[in-house]
Amino acid sequence: MTTNSLSKIFLFFLLACAVNTEAQTIEEMEKLFPGKMAIFSKVNKVVDISLRKGEPYAEDKEVSEMMMLDDKANGIYNKDRVYHSSFNELKKVEAYTLVPDGKEFKKQKVTEFKTQSSTSRGVFYDDVKETSFDYPSMLKGSIAHVESEYYNKDIRFLSPFYFSSFLPVYNATYTVTFPEDMDIKYIIKNDANKTITVTESKKGRKKKLEFTASNLNNDEYYGDGVSRGYYAKHVILYVENYKNDKGTIPVFSSIDELYKWNRKFLKDVNTQPDPNIQRIADSICINKKTEREKAQAIYLWVQNHIKYVAFEDGLEGFVPRQAADVCSKRYGDCKDMASLLTAMLNASGIQAHFTWIGTRSIPYTYSEVPLPITDNHMISSAKIDNEWIFFDATDPHCIFGMPSSAIQNKQALVSISPEKYELVTVPIVAAEKSYITDSSFLTFKNNTLTGFCSVDYVGYMGSDIYNNLIYNKGDDERVYVRRRMAKGSNKFIMKDYVLSLPDTANRVANIKSNFEIPDYVKSIGDEIYINLNLEKLFSGSPIDTAKRKVDIENEYLYTIRQVHLLDIPDGYVVSYVPKNISVSNDVIDFSIEYKQLPGKIMATQKMVSKKLYIQPSDFAVYNAALAKVSPAYKEQVVLKKK
């Protein structure tokens, strides 16, 4: 019998041991997870790593069983899918429902599977596919069973194993077997209470690592929350080195090894200067005297002339195309744009570098997790006037000198030379660099408030306007502008408007409009009541601190300043002005200030967001600030007849 055959027998023996746990009754699951319509009674994954012709590869089998605890689950949890790619090839998938039939179960197989490309969540295109299917007869007491087998062609791409899921998990097991002369490391994430148990053992020439956890609550999803990797319990496993007849072969033991692996994809890229790129760079930089001026001009040219298109399969997805080809075809993905930017900057005399980075959806740093899963994006970077500038042309309206919002505070791996790299943390752009200034001039007649509004958008706020205008043209532009300008109540009526882009290089935008808000002004006897906080910049429900344990994520820091200036009509005086209010903490600065002027009254509202991530430890001060501000929003200016 061959070694490979023995490995397969051992793999399925382990799987059988892992999945043949004592069956749990519905009553027991209802008691453990009250109020849940369904739970995962088991989630098991067994990975067997072996050597084939001296090279490591992995086979794995995954089994999950979902138990229905309520008839209402039917129609909600019927759909399922498994993911696979060229690196993690799907060999087999089987799914069925075990339907209660007296004291027995009746097996109803899934017969139709549909495979299609899965939407990429990163900027690197990946060739991930999803095979989807529907379970039949998902009634109370039914068990949805799916098992899949994979062949992993490259052990550098072992996927993290998540113990928790969108449903509670009764039992989860992750088992990895590997040759005794292979060194494997693992990182356990988000398990401060050490609920994951790790067991190490050895049988023959195989070692085994087994990770188990049980009685796990489901992951809570929040639209404004961080990605799952920031809080869900999971294990990252990687091969540090292995032995074959050539000796000890390093894989990923450090950032140095990761950099060597990344760098090999650049060895044949842009090895020779291209005269066409030199000619274009020279024409772009004509009359540009400083490096900053040249870099900005080149960056804008690439943003305006190269279309972002994400595509590639397998390891080719890590190799940038030649800058000359990208320039000629006028399209490319993130690494292709990085290739062209780097080549053009170098042609203009600016020392630029290929740079790997992960977007903020990935919670890891290279220092902590020196693996390919830590990045999903490539950009170019250059040090100009002793400041690192990050060039991400996949965002067509990212402002020169400001990183794209998705890579703020992320660690970048900058390729200096074939042997040298630098780790650079991308800065968080200060709130005062991204702002809205809103000036509204108000009058009223009867109960209708009439106004003229001028709003400036700068920084990321301006970039948002430019990006939205790509998709909102013609009649859609008016709908979009109204949504941006709406104030006071849902009766807001926007009249004419003018949208201008006075500084396209720095993405400054301005919108002016006339508007009316019927029934906004209230009259009682000889008094008129007007709430001058036409927008509630800081409002909403308090955070449920008992339930929510997931950070709130802001796309960027910002400042909003609104000034509403109301004309006091003849024959009226101001009889009541609300008190000024201000709040300042680690999360937010907020204020409302009223001021009486000759014939007018002015209300100024200002908010400054101060954290990209509002953590659970911040929730109490956030709620306290909200409690202080909420009553202030109800305050109204009172005018009285003389």
Side-chain angles (χ1 to χ4, degrees), residues 50-338:
S50 301
L51 294 182
R52 177 181 289 172
K53 296 182 180 179
E55 295 294 326
Y57 73 100
E59 292 179 314
D60 70 71
K61 186 168 183 178
E62 300 179 22
V63 176
S64 74
E65 290 191 346
M66 180 168 46
M67 182 182 289
M68 303 300 107
L69 305 182
D70 193 315
D71 285 336
K72 294 177 183 177
N74 190 34
I76 299 176
Y77 299 116
N78 299 65
K79 295 186 180 297
D80 203 352
R81 67 203 62 190
V82 296
Y83 295 94
H84 47 103
S85 68
S86 60
F87 294 119
N88 201 32
E89 182 182 333
L90 180 65
K91 305 298 289 183
K92 174 186 174 183
V93 60
E94 181 183 3
Y96 54 82
T97 306
L98 294 174
V99 184
D101 185 14
K103 293 184 178 181
E104 304 294 328
F105 281 96
K106 191 179 193 177
K107 188 175 183 179
Q108 294 190 13
K109 284 190 172 184
V110 172
T111 57
E112 185 176 344
F113 296 87
K114 181 181 179 181
T115 298
Q116 60 187 14
S117 294
S118 178
T119 303
S120 175
R121 295 187 181 131
V123 187
F124 264 137
Y125 173 79
D126 52 31
D127 58 357
V128 172
K129 292 181 171 55
E130 61 180 55
T131 296
S132 57
F133 50 92
D134 291 351
Y135 295 109
S137 304
M138 296 282 275
L139 304 175
K140 183 174 181 177
S142 296
I143 297 173
H145 177 104
V146 59
E147 55 186 81
S148 48
E149 297 176 22
Y150 303 88
Y151 169 50
N152 190 297
K153 299 177 182 178
D154 194 323
I155 46 88
R156 293 174 180 84
F157 298 102
L158 295 175
S159 300
F161 179 80
Y162 281 79
F163 287 85
S164 53
S165 185
F166 62 94
L167 291 174
V169 177
Y170 174 66
N171 183 62
T173 304
Y174 179 38
T175 304
V176 184
T177 64
F178 54 96
E180 63 178 352
D181 52 3
M182 177 180 287
D183 289 328
I184 280 186
K185 301 292 184 185
Y186 62 86
I187 302 168
I188 298 177
K189 297 290 295 178
N190 307 318
D191 190 31
N193 295 327
K194 300 189 182 301
T195 57
I196 299 172
T197 300
V198 185
T199 305
E200 300 184 29
S201 60
K202 182 180 178 184
K203 185 174 182 179
R205 301 187 64 182
K206 283 276 192 176
K207 291 182 179 179
K208 181 174 79 169
L209 280 170
E210 186 172 75
F211 306 86
T212 59
S214 58
N215 297 342
L216 302 168
N217 292 323
N218 56 297
D219 295 334
E220 296 288 346
Y221 171 77
Y222 296 93
D224 60 354
V226 292
S227 64
R228 189 172 169 228
Y230 282 87
Y231 58 88
K233 294 177 176 63
H234 62 282
V235 171
I236 301 166
L237 186 137
Y238 61 98
V239 176
E240 189 174 47
N241 60 66
Y242 63 92
K243 291 181 181 178
N244 60 18
D245 55 7
K246 296 179 183 178
T248 300
I249 310 299
V251 184
F252 291 132
S253 59
S254 64
I255 302 173
D256 292 347
E257 293 297 339
L258 175 64
Y259 179 68
K260 287 178 186 176
W261 184 76
N262 277 342
R263 179 69 200 195
K264 73 180 182 182
F265 297 117
L266 305 181
K267 64 183 179 65
D268 298 322
V269 178
N270 302 341
T271 54
Q272 298 295 326
D274 181 75
N276 187 47
I277 286 179
Q278 186 67 61
R279 178 184 60 79
I280 294 174
D282 289 344
S283 66
I284 293 170
C285 295
I286 195 167
N287 298 325
K288 303 294 187 296
K289 297 179 180 179
T290 67
E291 285 193 343
R292 290 188 74 89
E293 289 175 338
K294 292 178 181 179
Q296 182 177 27
I298 288 170
Y299 186 42
L300 289 170
W301 187 91
V302 174
Q303 286 179 308
N304 292 330
H305 290 83
I306 307 300
K307 182 178 172 133
Y308 172 64
V309 179
F311 55 95
E312 282 305 357
D313 289 332
L315 284 174
E316 289 185 3
F318 293 85
V319 182
R321 286 180 173 78
Q322 303 296 336
D325 292 340
V326 180
C327 188
S328 172
K329 294 176 180 178
R330 291 293 199 266
Y331 66 82
D333 60 13
C334 67
K335 61 191 183 320
D336 301 333
M337 288 181 158

Side-chain angles (χ1 to χ4, degrees), residues 504-561:
T504 56
N506 293 302
R507 314 306 184 197
V508 176
N510 175 270
I511 302 176
K512 293 181 173 68
S513 75
N514 293 293
F515 63 88
E516 290 181 356
I517 311 175
D519 301 322
Y520 187 80
V521 180
K522 305 299 179 185
S523 300
I524 301 176
D526 60 354
E527 291 185 325
I528 294 174
Y529 296 80
I530 304 176
N531 189 328
L532 289 183
N533 299 299
L534 272 64
E535 288 189 73
K536 295 178 174 60
L537 302 180
F538 182 47
S539 62
S541 301
I543 302 169
D544 186 343
T545 55
K547 181 180 179 182
R548 179 162 185 163
K549 307 301 177 187
V550 177
D551 293 8
I552 297 171
E553 181 177 15
N554 289 318
E555 186 178 353
Y556 46 78
L557 305 184
Y558 58 86
T559 299
I560 301 177
R561 185 173 183 267

Side-chain angles (χ1 to χ4, degrees), residues 357-565:
I357 195 166
T359 58
R360 286 163 53 198
S361 62
I362 297 176
Y364 319 126
T365 64
Y366 293 108
S367 301
E368 178 195 23
V369 184
L371 301 172
I373 62 171
T374 296
D375 56 51
N376 61 346
H377 194 21
M378 179 175 270
I379 59 176
S380 183
S381 59
K383 209 169 196 178
I384 300 174
D385 299 332
N386 208 34
E387 174 193 0
W388 280 105
I389 305 294
F390 301 94
F391 302 87
D392 183 358
T394 60
D395 181 348
H397 295 118
C398 187
I399 301 166
F400 173 78
M402 293 176 69
S404 59
S405 62
I407 63 171
Q408 291 179 100
N409 204 39
K410 292 294 295 184
Q411 199 176 57
L413 181 61
V414 182
S415 177
I416 305 299
S417 72
E419 296 78 28
K420 185 180 178 182
Y421 63 87
E422 283 191 37
L423 289 176
V424 181
T425 300
V426 178
I428 298 173
V429 177
E432 59 266 23
K433 291 191 175 182
S434 296
Y435 61 87
I436 293 175
T437 301
D438 181 340
S439 302
S440 295
F441 303 89
L442 309 171
T443 60
F444 66 89
K445 185 176 182 181
N446 298 325
N447 293 330
T448 297
L449 187 69
T450 302
F452 167 77
C453 186
S454 177
V455 187
D456 292 320
Y457 302 86
V458 178
Y460 290 128
M461 293 292 193
S463 292
D464 284 349
I465 298 290
Y466 280 74
N467 282 325
N468 275 285
L469 290 177
I470 295 174
Y471 308 104
N472 293 284
K473 300 182 184 299
D475 292 340
D476 289 338
E477 181 186 278
R478 182 178 182 84
V479 173
Y480 169 70
V481 170
R482 186 202 177 280
R483 189 167 66 248
R484 298 284 323 206
M485 303 297 279
K487 306 172 184 294
S489 76
N490 56 10
K491 294 183 179 181
F492 175 89
I493 300 170
M494 185 177 74
K495 300 292 189 178
D496 57 330
Y497 77 92
V498 176
L499 190 156
S500 58
L501 308 173
D503 185 351
T504 56
N506 293 302
R507 314 306 184 197
V508 176
N510 175 270
I511 302 176
K512 293 181 173 68
S513 75
N514 293 293
F515 63 88
E516 290 181 356
I517 311 175
D519 301 322
Y520 187 80
V521 180
K522 305 299 179 185
S523 300
I524 301 176
D526 60 354
E527 291 185 325
I528 294 174
Y529 296 80
I530 304 176
N531 189 328
L532 289 183
N533 299 299
L534 272 64
E535 288 189 73
K536 295 178 174 60
L537 302 180
F538 182 47
S539 62
S541 301
I543 302 169
D544 186 343
T545 55
K547 181 180 179 182
R548 179 162 185 163
K549 307 301 177 187
V550 177
D551 293 8
I552 297 171
E553 181 177 15
N554 289 318
E555 186 178 353
Y556 46 78
L557 305 184
Y558 58 86
T559 299
I560 301 177
R561 185 173 183 267
Q562 290 188 334
V563 180
H564 294 150
L565 190 65

